[in-house]
Amino acid sequence: MDRLSLLVFALAVLFWLLVGSDRLRAKRPDWHWYVTGYPRTALRVLLTWRKVAHLNDLTVSHKPNRRLLGVLAVKGDPLRTHTPRCSFPHPTPNGLSLRVRLYAGQTPAPFLAAADALVHAWKVHAVRVVSPERGIVLITATASDPLASPNRTTGEVSGSLLSAVVGALETGHAWLMDFRRVPHWLIVGATQSGKSTLIARLISELAPQPVALVGVDCKGGMELGLFQRRLSALATCRTEAIALLGALVVDMQDRMRLCRMAGARSIWDLPEKERPVPVVVVVDELAELYLTNGSREQRAEAEQCSTYLLRLAQLGAALGMHLVVAGQRVGSGLGPGVTALRAQLGGRICHRVNDPGTAEMALGDLNKDAVTVAQSISEAEQGVAVTTGELGGWMRGRSHMTTPSEAQATASEYAGMAPRLGGVVRALEDLEGGDAHE
């Protein structure tokens, strides 16, 4: 290609970038970032790295900062410092990342403190600093807030059994809840925080799959009742919840015997034709199962619910039984059973909450920074939550919106896929028969 052709080509590309930039940003924001945003930001990172490192005490000196002048010790700042070596910025769908190799004696703490300075120097939305291995710091910059558009497509769909794309993460990737990887989940959030939206999206994503969905909604079924046609069973009060959970525990024991007879350690080791259907139990408003008026009868009911939930959480993962436990307030004030149950729920999601104790209960054993970030979620950020993730143990995400009409349409469309759980259905029917007889 001669110089004239190369010049014409370059001008054509420049014209396309200037004219088609807005159209490209609307249709494919990731491509727009790769073509127009990433080169500028990567160049800015490379040009400013040495200066930013020097101004924020990220550099080291190979010479001591103390000198002896006779019998007098003099201490001062080193005049010649060395900047830690960073890799070339690697592009991500909505930002870039680079690895920094620490000098001997350096720790990640100064880099964590310099995150805000990096945001301003690189003109990006946010900077996240983690240490994935000893002597290495991973700096991830996000160009724009991917959670500003809650229904922005991530380009990924649920492709495997018991996995559901429920929203978008701050990295720009899909927010995936995979029950094969993390069998049980705890979801907390205040009223209007987006907790119910997340649950609705989760059920909508699981509805087309060969999975039994079981609901416990002690608010009279106002939330999970939208999906009743797709649910294999629904309990709307604590008495029904006891019957339903008790029947699931019996079913779990049957699955244990089946695996023991087949010499299998889980139902996934069984032949597909002999494998029981996976069950996902969604418990909305956990506190309703634990709160009592102090009477002996209600305390006994609460203890029974606590025991059943704990057994399902402890033994259910290998037997294809999974828990999703949600509530506005989840804390030790509900009783020791809640703390024991929390320990079995590896997946954590915390929306905006009204009390620090709930955020601490959900995320405190993961990372103190995660608790602080969760408490900073404002009322305007409906659907935004802090969830367990791969990058440093947690990240922010936002669930996709599912309207009540969409929920009912999904339930109707996949009503024929609801497996029949005979033991659970009989337990609820026996309860209704007993109530009618009384």
Side-chain angles (χ1 to χ4, degrees):
M1 181 181 293
D2 56 22
R3 293 183 179 180
L4 181 59
S5 300
L6 185 61
L7 179 60
V8 172
F9 177 76
L11 290 174
V13 171
L14 180 61
F15 176 80
W16 180 81
L17 290 177
L18 293 176
V19 176
S21 178
D22 292 338
R23 184 181 303 174
L24 181 64
R25 177 184 298 174
K27 290 187 176 181
R28 291 302 303 265
D30 51 344
W31 288 12
H32 180 271
W33 162 249
Y34 287 135
V35 173
T36 63
Y38 164 71
R40 293 197 304 265
T41 306
L43 181 61
R44 193 178 295 121
V45 169
L46 295 175
L47 293 178
T48 61
W49 172 246
R50 185 179 297 275
K51 185 174 183 179
V52 172
H54 178 74
L55 292 176
N56 290 275
D57 296 326
L58 305 181
T59 59
V60 298
S61 174
H62 294 319
K63 295 183 178 181
N65 60 354
R66 291 176 181 268
R67 290 292 179 88
L68 288 176
L69 297 178
V71 295
L72 183 65
V74 180
K75 180 180 179 181
D77 295 331
L79 296 178
R80 298 186 61 182
T81 58
H82 298 271
T83 306
R85 184 177 301 175
C86 70
S87 66
F88 190 85
H90 176 74
T92 63
N94 187 37
L96 52 81
S97 64
L98 61 150
R99 296 167 68 90
V100 179
R101 187 171 296 278
L102 302 181
Y103 284 114
Q106 280 192 302
T107 66
F111 294 84
L112 289 167
D116 285 342
L118 298 177
V119 168
H120 292 283
W122 298 345
K123 294 180 171 53
V124 293
H125 170 71
V127 167
R128 179 91 175 272
V129 180
V130 298
S131 180
E133 57 183 284
R134 303 300 185 194
I136 297 293
V137 165
L138 176 65
I139 302 177
T140 304
T142 305
S144 59
D145 187 4
L147 307 184
S149 302
N151 288 326
R152 173 182 169 182
T153 178
T154 56
E156 297 183 38
V157 295
S158 307
S160 58
L161 182 64
L162 289 172
S163 67
V165 174
V166 295
L169 296 173
E170 62 183 351
T171 58
H173 293 102
W175 181 0
L176 182 70
M177 292 178 64
D178 187 350
F179 289 90
R180 295 290 301 274
R181 186 174 63 87
V182 182
H184 308 302
W185 290 81
L186 172 65
I187 303 174
V188 299
T191 303
Q192 301 296 319
S193 65
K195 173 173 58 67
S196 298
T197 299
L198 174 61
I199 293 174
R201 186 66 180 189
L202 172 63
I203 297 177
S204 297
E205 288 285 307
L206 293 176
Q209 303 182 25
V211 174
L213 300 174
V214 176
V216 177
D217 183 358
C218 290
K219 293 186 296 183
M222 291 189 302
E223 296 291 346
L224 300 185
L226 296 172
F227 294 96
Q228 186 161 10
R229 295 191 61 186
R230 175 57 181 87
L231 300 180
S232 296
L234 175 63
T236 59
C237 65
R238 184 159 58 190
T239 303
E240 293 179 355
I242 292 173
L244 184 151
L245 295 174
L248 287 175
V249 170
V250 173
D251 187 8
M252 184 174 64
Q253 294 170 341
D254 293 338
R255 296 180 181 216
M256 288 182 191
R257 285 190 290 269
L258 179 63
C259 290
R260 184 174 66 248
M261 293 173 59
R265 300 180 64 182
S266 74
I267 67 167
W268 307 108
D269 296 331
L270 297 172
E272 186 173 354
K273 294 182 179 180
E274 301 177 13
R275 185 182 305 154
V277 63
V279 180
V280 177
V281 183
V282 181
V283 180
D284 193 17
E285 208 48 67
L286 178 68
E288 293 296 322
L289 297 180
Y290 284 82
L291 292 176
T292 70
N293 60 5
S295 67
R296 179 181 301 178
E297 181 182 359
Q298 289 204 9
R299 288 203 307 268
E301 287 182 348
E303 291 176 3
Q304 202 166 12
C305 282
S306 177
T307 301
Y308 286 152
L309 285 173
L310 187 57
R311 293 196 67 186
L312 288 171
Q314 288 177 329
L315 305 174
L319 301 169
M321 290 192 167
H322 307 275
L323 283 179
V324 178
V325 178
Q328 296 183 34
R329 184 175 63 86
V330 178
S332 57
L334 296 178
V338 174
T339 304
L341 177 62
R342 189 278 304 261
Q344 301 296 326
L345 307 177
R348 310 289 176 77
I349 299 173
C350 182
H351 296 80
R352 175 181 56 83
V353 293
N354 293 327
D355 62 299
T358 298
E360 182 70 28
M361 174 67 81
L363 303 171
D365 56 342
L366 297 177
N367 193 300
K368 295 299 181 182
D369 291 340
V371 177
T372 303
V373 173
Q375 290 179 288
S376 68
I377 299 174
S378 66
E379 293 185 5
E381 297 177 294
Q382 188 174 8
V384 174
V386 176
T387 179
T388 52
E390 298 176 358
L391 187 60
W394 62 271
M395 63 184 66
R396 293 171 75 245
R398 190 169 197 170
S399 56
H400 292 321
M401 181 67 179
T402 300
T403 64
S405 59
E406 291 173 342
Q408 291 176 326
T410 298
S412 298
E413 181 179 359
Y414 299 105
M417 295 189 64
R420 177 179 171 81
L421 300 177
V424 175
V425 173
R426 285 192 296 272
L428 292 176
E429 289 176 347
D430 291 345
L431 180 63
E432 292 178 359
D435 292 342
H437 180 71
E438 292 176 1

